[in-house]
Amino acid sequence: MTERRTILSGSTFEERIGYARAVVDGDRVHVSGTTGFDYATMTISDDVVEQAAQCLRNIGDALAEAGCTFRDVVRVRYLLPDRADFEPCWPVLRECFGEVRPAATMFVCGLADPRMKIEIEVDARRGDAA
């Protein structure tokens, strides 16, 4: 039987909406769309690059709890309300994904809270769970 477990970050959104930060399903790890909120304080920066860095810290925490690192990421999706905000984030994104080179897509769309300037979702594969 395939292992399935949820990983919670403590975000109030998880409880209010009814989702998990990540789901481990066998050797697959699916990390939900993650925004730049600092979940300890439930605050968010006004700066898109700082939000991207916080998204990655939040994602990194979920991956670690699942037994993964950014090296295990096979797919990343970037969601932004303003396409002009994407390029300024490239250097911080490249720090995590530059050598990994996951498949990637950027969407321009509305996000749940007008303070959110970027949301990042990843899928990873755990090498030791196959």
Side-chain angles (χ1 to χ4, degrees):
M1 181 170 250
T2 302
E3 169 200 14
R4 184 186 189 282
R5 69 181 170 95
T6 57
I7 294 172
L8 302 176
S9 67
S11 164
T12 57
F13 298 117
E14 292 169 350
E15 179 64 30
R16 292 170 62 196
I17 298 170
Y19 71 96
R21 171 64 38 223
V23 174
V24 178
D25 185 22
D27 68 342
R28 304 293 177 166
V29 179
H30 307 279
V31 181
S32 294
T34 303
T35 63
F37 272 94
D38 177 335
Y39 299 129
T41 62
M42 285 308 292
T43 58
I44 191 167
S45 171
D46 289 333
D47 180 75
V48 68
V49 176
E50 289 176 17
Q51 284 192 29
Q54 184 64 53
C55 289
L56 294 169
R57 284 190 293 274
N58 295 340
I59 290 167
D61 290 345
L63 289 171
E65 191 169 337
C68 292
T69 70
F70 283 104
R71 291 182 192 270
D72 300 304
V73 172
V74 296
R75 182 84 166 115
V76 60
R77 292 170 195 87
Y78 304 105
L79 298 90
L80 296 96
D82 183 348
R83 79 182 74 238
D85 281 341
F86 190 47
E87 189 170 350
C89 296
W90 291 359
V92 73
L93 302 175
R94 190 171 39 251
E95 287 177 26
C96 288
F97 301 118
E99 292 183 21
V100 178
R101 304 287 176 118
T105 303
M106 190 277 276
F107 298 93
V108 175
C109 61
L111 299 178
D113 182 316
R115 296 173 292 174
M116 298 172 180
K117 296 183 178 187
I118 186 168
E119 185 170 319
I120 303 172
E121 172 184 300
V122 305
D123 295 314
R125 184 168 182 198
R126 300 186 311 164
D128 61 0

